Amino acid sequence: MKSDDIRARFLDYFQRRDHRLVMSSSLIPDDPTLLVTNAGMVQFKPYFLGSEKPEFTRATTCQKCVRTTDIEKVGHTARHLTFFEMLGNFSFGDYYKREAIPWGWEFLTVDMGLDRERLYCSVFTEDDEAYDIWKDVVGVPEERLVRLGAEDNFWDMGTTGPCGPCSEILYDQGEEYGCGDPGCRVGCDCDRYLELWNLVFMQYHRDEKGELHPLPSKNIDTGLGLERLASVLQGAPNNFETDTMAEVLHAASHLSGVDYGSGEESDISLKIVADHSRAVTFMVADGVLPSNEDRGYILRRLVRRAVRHGRLLGITDVFLPRMVETVIEIMGDAYPELKQNSAFIDAIIHSEEERFSQTLRSGLVYLEEAVSDLKSRGGKVIPGDVVFHLHDTLGFPLELTRELARERGLELEEEGFAVLMEGQRERARAARIEEGYAPQVLEIYSEILDNYGESRFTGYETVSDKAAVLAIVNGGHAVASAAPGEEVEVFLDRTPFYGEMGGQVGDTGTISSPAGVAEVIETFHPARGLISHRCRIAHGEIKISETVEASVDAERRNAIRRNHTATHIVHWALRQVLGDHAKQAGSLVDPGRLRFDFTHFQPLSRDELARVEELSNRKVIEDLPVRAYVTTYDYAISINAVALFGEKYEDYVRVVEVDEISRELCGGTHVGRTGEIGLLVIAGESGIGANMRRIEAFTGMGAYAYFHRRQEMLNDMAEKLKAEVNRLPDRIDRVLQRVKELESAMKKRGREEAASLVDGGIDWKESEAAGGVKILTAAVDGLAAQDLRELAERTLTGRAAGVVGIATIHGGKANMVVALSKELTGAGLDAVELMRKAGRLLGGGGGGRPDMAVGGGSDTSRMDEALAVMAEEVKRALEGHA
């Protein structure tokens, strides 16, 4: 049975049991406590916590997942992967153990036809209820029922969050897969008893102190590994030899010229390349970009491990893009986002692999220097800070450093490395906690949602609306009213105020009641479906249950609308000029400007930027209609509406169309026709990271103000240069030409002055070194530093000298030049070394060529001494040479 068939039959099984089919969510989770989506339940976490109410109580998914907790085991075991597909069925306060357990057994034994005699079930030690259901309802013999502790059968998704006891269904693959230990049984870490399905009975929430609290309702969360089930049904000895993974493995084998099965070490490398290729393909498709932080670091680490193992297989060229192509070809039908973003994925992975090739070389240089230093001191252990620098700064996976150390007969100070890594993790953990909400604050928002439901946004149709005050929150607690000067959050049953989202800032304005006025200083979403108005009470008071007039600052809103629609037009124009890989990666839309981040691999040329601006303004001038409508996500994607990387979308989405040129999923506010934008001017373009660029622009009155400022600058320049504005280019060209002529004349004059000083005007100190070499030195006044070279060169030839040293004071500093004849440099004398020694006396240094060096320093009082030292060094060197 093919993997595609298994996936389809699983989802169909639970759809026939009234489960809503939910699309796989992005690998970028909508959860500040997680870096990547690592389980099927992640997108449903708010439902388990009770912070959001689902539209359905049963769901089934095939979720793409990434886990790196066991990355060291990938390639070494039959079952560990970093990327995998997790089949799951979920209940949100609906059914529980008595339904979930028999369904799991029935699907595996009836629909999939697995041998009942080879299935074992484990339960949490204290879970008598699950044990009895397996034994009495399903009929599993007690000899194939195993009680295990919390380490094996109590599931959680991290240090905090939903959790509960679980029950696993395992498949006995036979003694040949075992460890050989006579005591081998369920719970052993070998490959004999393969965990297929984990049924989690989600009933607790673990807080930051590690304490368990009952969830509002008991839930079901299950995870069935698609690759593992495929390996059993297809008779494959491991996940890597199942139908889809075998094709990726074959691609790695073909690229490297190394046959799978030809050696244990090469097999491990082939498996790692195959697994990591799948992971990085899906991560980039969902908008993860390589970086040194958070999920970007996970992606970077996977790419670099894959490249390293490719090198171990003998692949020297860039190869991961070809692996990515294979993954997309195999899995693109099941996951259309792979095909839609294929060019972008290829470009990012290609760029990252090339970058790591450079990193690999520089890292090896750093390691060799550290090893050389270590061995010179008789050491045998590479310090933890060296290992950490290689890992954290240069991107070396720990196993790579370990392997390179082993090749050199050395060990790693892994304890010191672990301490530094833990410090890094703590910093990252603290940052993630900082981004989240405190539990008590989440609770008040949940109460508002429970009591009143979601906020109704009316701002698409109006900027002023009558509404009822549902709740007022002050410091995380509900209050009945707010007095003058207080800052509170006000929640209305309906509101025209747009809450900050999707890069668009929130609205400001006023909320007025018969008894008082509140200034809305910020509008945002504290929880999905809820709009909070952060207000300062200007006068009087605002009370719950009263009717108010909610009025958005219309002028500010209109400026935001112009800028938001302009981002869609700029997005379209960028793709016309640069290609389809130029996709939105972020934006900021406020009343003063727009900021648009996009994917591209190099700075835009002036012509490209001008073309983007021209195309954008053509569409503005054409006064095209802008339409918005709500439709299903599936239909929106089918008509090629652009969905942003990393965004999580509901079943129904809002599509914004700018005539026929742009169609994007967007919840923001927009103009009715492009002509309302007035004018769009791009103020600048810059890089903000690897493969990421940013455009800043103005529209409407902002564009007018921008041009007004530029015009004032031109007027000032024209006034200073005494020219009309339209003649400024000619005037500037003439001024620059005159400056060039004056500089040339000054240089010529300097050379002439220097030439005149060769035979007269300078009190040369003359001495002689071994072999009759003449040494001339002098400290001169009033000579520009740049003329020293000219004087030294002319003196060498004009006075038949072998060495010339000249010093002067210029700009408050001592400047010096040393010049040698060709005969002396051929004899091994070096002007740079002479200058450096003299320069140290002057409080500085020097550099240059073997025959001509310049330098100096801040100590002008020691010029004569520096010249004398230089002369003595020449004599000493030539005496030794003689």
Side-chain angles (χ1 to χ4, degrees):
M1 189 181 296
K2 300 293 185 184
S3 295
D4 287 343
D5 297 328
I6 298 170
R7 187 189 303 112
R9 291 178 68 168
F10 176 90
L11 297 174
D12 179 67
Y13 178 90
F14 283 100
Q15 281 181 278
R16 285 187 280 110
R17 285 156 182 80
D18 300 322
H19 287 63
R20 171 76 70 89
L21 174 60
V22 179
M23 292 177 59
S24 172
S25 65
S26 169
L27 285 172
I28 301 178
D30 187 16
D31 184 336
T33 67
L34 293 174
L35 293 179
V36 290
T37 300
N38 60 4
M41 61 77 63
V42 170
Q43 66 172 311
F44 303 122
K45 183 178 174 181
Y47 303 159
F48 291 131
L49 287 173
S51 59
E52 292 183 22
K53 284 190 172 180
E55 299 174 9
F56 42 85
T57 57
R58 300 180 179 190
T60 184
T61 65
C62 180
Q63 175 65 50
K64 49 193 176 185
C65 299
V66 167
R67 288 184 194 171
T68 56
T69 50
D70 293 321
I71 193 172
E72 306 294 340
K73 296 180 180 179
V74 173
H76 295 268
T77 71
R79 63 188 187 277
H80 284 97
L81 302 170
T82 59
F83 174 84
F84 55 93
E85 295 179 79
M86 183 66 77
L87 299 165
N89 60 288
F90 307 88
S91 166
F92 314 117
D94 188 336
Y95 61 84
Y96 202 48
K97 298 176 186 178
R98 287 195 170 273
E99 293 82 7
I101 290 174
W103 281 343
W105 182 263
E106 180 184 48
F107 178 75
L108 291 179
T109 58
V110 178
D111 287 59
M112 294 292 103
L114 294 187
D115 184 355
R116 297 166 181 255
E117 302 301 315
R118 302 184 74 166
L119 292 178
Y120 285 73
C121 304
S122 68
V123 297
F124 183 49
T125 305
E126 303 169 13
D127 194 350
D128 294 332
E129 180 185 5
Y131 189 95
D132 290 342
I133 294 172
W134 281 117
K135 179 171 69 74
D136 300 331
V137 178
V138 176
V140 177
E142 290 193 74
E143 60 268 23
R144 296 209 304 278
L145 280 174
V146 181
R147 292 181 186 265
L148 295 174
E151 183 177 346
D152 294 291
N153 278 82
F154 193 93
W155 189 92
D156 57 50
M157 62 182 299
T159 55
T160 63
C163 55
C166 62
S167 186
E168 297 174 349
I169 306 177
L170 306 100
Y171 183 81
D172 182 3
Q173 301 193 96
E175 292 183 5
E176 63 272 24
Y177 287 85
C179 56
D181 189 322
C184 180
R185 63 192 293 270
V186 171
C188 181
D189 198 39
C190 71
D191 290 327
R192 175 173 179 175
Y193 297 98
L194 179 66
E195 176 200 335
L196 294 178
W197 205 339
N198 190 9
L199 313 178
V200 181
F201 311 124
M202 196 83 71
Q203 61 190 79
Y204 300 112
H205 174 264
R206 180 182 282 124
D207 63 20
E208 285 78 3
K209 297 179 181 178
E211 297 176 356
L212 298 178
H213 305 278
L215 291 170
S217 59
K218 293 181 177 181
N219 311 287
I220 289 294
D221 158 31
T222 83
L224 170 62
L226 175 57
E227 291 84 358
R228 294 189 182 189
L229 181 55
S231 71
V232 171
L233 292 171
Q234 295 171 12
N238 56 62
N239 287 341
F240 297 92
E241 296 182 44
T242 57
D243 57 333
T244 56
M245 289 214 65
E247 292 188 56
V248 184
L249 191 68
H250 175 73
S253 176
H254 175 73
L255 287 172
S256 64
V258 177
D259 291 335
Y260 178 63
S262 60
E264 183 180 354
E265 292 299 320
S266 61
D267 280 1
I268 290 171
S269 290
L270 286 169
K271 289 174 182 177
I272 289 172
V273 169
D275 167 79
H276 290 9
S277 295
R278 294 209 313 166
V280 302
T281 300
F282 275 87
M283 290 181 76
V284 176
D286 277 357
V288 181
L289 294 175
S291 72
N292 286 328
E293 296 179 352
D294 300 327
R295 65 180 64 93
Y297 178 74
I298 294 174
L299 173 62
R300 175 159 283 169
R301 183 185 183 196
L302 290 169
V303 169
R304 293 183 171 188
R305 289 187 93 244
V307 172
R308 167 60 182 165
H309 282 275
R311 299 294 183 266
L312 291 176
L313 290 167
I315 306 175
T316 56
D317 297 329
V318 173
F319 72 96
L320 276 182
R322 284 177 282 176
M323 293 296 299
V324 165
E325 185 180 336
T326 301
V327 173
I328 294 174
E329 184 180 340
I330 295 167
M331 306 192 73
D333 289 338
Y335 296 95
E337 65 269 23
L338 299 183
K339 290 183 177 180
Q340 292 167 4
N341 300 309
S342 59
F344 177 70
I345 300 168
D346 176 271
I348 292 297
I349 298 301
H350 190 283
S351 173
E352 183 64 15
E353 183 174 354
E354 279 191 330
R355 186 176 288 110
F356 181 53
S357 296
Q358 299 288 337
T359 296
L360 197 58
R361 286 191 286 272
S362 61
L364 287 172
V365 170
Y366 174 81
L367 180 62
E368 291 301 342
E369 289 177 352
V371 168
S372 176
D373 179 63
L374 181 68
K375 287 187 173 180
S376 70
R377 294 183 279 105
K380 292 290 185 182
V381 180
I382 298 177
D385 60 339
V386 173
V387 181
F388 181 75
H389 180 78
L390 281 164
H391 180 278
D392 187 59
T393 305
L394 300 180
F396 267 42
L398 177 62
E399 67 270 17
L400 170 57
T401 308
R402 190 184 292 126
E403 179 182 344
L404 294 170
R406 189 165 54 243
E407 291 172 359
R408 292 155 177 75
L410 302 172
E411 296 179 356
L412 305 183
E413 187 201 352
E414 296 202 27
E415 184 176 342
F417 169 77
V419 169
L420 291 169
M421 281 298 295
E422 183 55 32
Q424 184 198 58
R425 292 191 193 100
E426 286 296 334
R427 290 190 294 274
R429 199 174 295 128
R432 289 197 296 275
I433 291 172
E434 220 172 87
E435 291 175 4
Y437 293 103
Q440 66 269 22
V441 177
L442 273 175
E443 186 177 336
I444 188 65
Y445 295 141
S446 297
E447 287 178 7
I448 294 171
L449 279 168
D450 287 343
N451 292 332
Y452 306 109
E454 296 185 357
S455 306
R456 182 184 171 193
F457 176 61
T458 61
Y460 294 136
E461 299 85 29
T462 182
V463 291
S464 182
D465 205 354
K466 291 194 179 299
V469 178
L470 301 177
I472 301 174
V473 174
N474 192 339
H477 301 283
V479 295
S481 62
E486 289 186 319
E487 285 197 8
V488 296
E489 292 179 62
V490 175
F491 296 87
L492 308 175
D493 64 336
R494 53 193 287 130
T495 177
F497 283 80
Y498 182 85
E500 180 170 347
M501 186 169 57
Q504 178 175 326
V505 298
D507 284 328
T508 61
T510 59
I511 295 177
S512 306
S513 76
V517 174
E519 296 175 351
V520 179
I521 54 180
E522 180 187 9
T523 310
F524 64 100
H525 293 266
R528 189 177 299 167
L530 199 59
I531 298 176
S532 171
H533 309 79
R534 192 182 302 280
C535 301
R536 182 185 298 109
I537 309 302
H539 59 82
E541 65 175 353
I542 299 292
K543 298 182 290 185
I544 60 171
S545 301
E546 65 183 353
T547 300
V548 295
E549 184 75 26
S551 301
V552 173
D553 182 335
E555 184 176 348
R556 182 176 182 274
R557 161 74 79 81
N558 285 335
I560 293 171
R561 291 166 63 232
R562 285 191 288 269
N563 283 334
H564 201 155
T565 305
T567 64
H568 288 219
I569 297 174
V570 168
H571 192 185
W572 166 82
L574 281 166
R575 297 178 75 174
Q576 301 304 303
V577 174
L578 304 179
D580 288 343
H581 69 273
K583 295 186 178 181
Q584 182 173 350
S587 66
L588 173 66
V589 180
D590 66 24
R593 59 172 177 150
L594 68 90
R595 192 179 73 201
F596 188 81
D597 301 339
F598 60 99
T599 52
H600 191 52
F601 317 113
Q602 61 188 13
L604 272 67
S605 67
R606 192 162 69 175
D607 287 345
E608 287 173 331
L609 206 58
R611 182 66 176 148
V612 170
E613 187 177 71
E614 179 193 350
L615 285 174
S616 299
N617 278 293
R618 283 185 180 278
K619 297 308 172 186
V620 169
I621 293 170
E622 288 176 20
D623 196 27
L624 303 175
V626 179
R627 300 175 291 270
Y629 54 88
V630 174
T631 185
T632 65
Y633 176 83
D634 290 341
Y635 177 74
I637 296 303
S638 74
I639 60 174
N640 297 318
V642 175
L644 298 187
F645 283 145
E647 286 291 326
K648 181 178 180 180
Y649 294 100
E650 304 292 341
D651 290 342
Y652 288 89
V653 293
R654 185 170 181 260
V655 177
V656 174
E657 292 180 341
V658 180
D659 196 44
E660 298 300 324
I661 69 167
S662 170
R663 184 179 290 122
E664 297 189 22
L665 305 191
C666 180
T669 59
H670 289 268
V671 298
R673 301 189 70 89
T674 60
E676 296 177 43
I677 294 171
L679 177 68
L680 185 147
V681 55
I682 295 177
E685 186 266 350
S686 60
I688 57 172
N691 310 316
M692 296 285 287
R693 309 298 301 173
R694 170 173 293 169
I695 275 178
E696 297 200 44
F698 301 98
T699 67
M701 293 303 295
Y704 166 78
Y706 175 83
F707 275 119
H708 182 70
R709 290 192 299 271
R710 300 293 284 260
Q711 185 63 44
E712 287 300 305
M713 288 172 57
L714 287 173
N715 291 338
D716 288 344
M717 291 170 60
E719 186 176 335
K720 289 174 181 176
L721 292 172
K722 302 186 184 328
E724 296 177 9
V725 170
N726 59 356
R727 300 186 63 116
L728 268 177
D730 290 339
R731 179 62 173 157
I732 291 171
D733 285 343
R734 288 200 300 274
V735 168
L736 291 176
Q737 181 61 34
R738 181 58 178 156
V739 169
K740 186 176 179 181
E741 290 170 355
L742 290 172
E743 287 177 344
S744 178
M746 289 178 67
K747 287 179 181 178
K748 181 180 179 182
R749 181 179 177 183
R751 288 194 298 270
E752 290 171 349
E753 288 179 353
S756 68
L757 291 173
V758 173
D759 296 316
I762 292 181
D763 184 15
W764 293 103
K765 291 183 180 179
E766 184 174 330
S767 58
E768 191 172 290
V773 174
K774 185 194 292 186
I775 303 173
L776 293 175
T777 61
V780 299
D781 293 328
L783 193 63
Q786 61 265 30
D787 296 328
L788 290 180
R789 286 175 178 266
E790 182 77 18
L791 178 57
E793 287 177 351
R794 288 179 178 269
T795 302
L796 273 179
T797 56
R799 296 181 66 98
V803 180
V804 173
I806 313 171
T808 189
I809 299 174
H810 187 76
K813 293 185 178 181
N815 295 273
M816 182 172 170
V817 63
V818 176
L820 304 179
S821 67
K822 291 182 179 179
E823 291 78 14
L824 293 183
T825 55
L829 212 58
D830 189 342
V832 174
E833 289 301 317
L834 294 171
M835 185 65 253
R836 284 175 179 165
K837 290 178 181 178
R840 280 196 286 271
L841 293 175
L842 300 174
R849 308 189 309 263
D851 65 323
M852 174 79 72
V854 296
S858 58
D859 192 347
T860 58
S861 66
R862 304 185 72 181
M863 289 196 308
D864 289 336
E865 185 181 352
L867 290 166
V869 165
M870 184 276 294
E872 288 304 315
E873 284 292 326
V874 171
K875 293 175 183 178
R876 187 161 35 252
L878 291 178
E879 285 173 5
H881 186 69

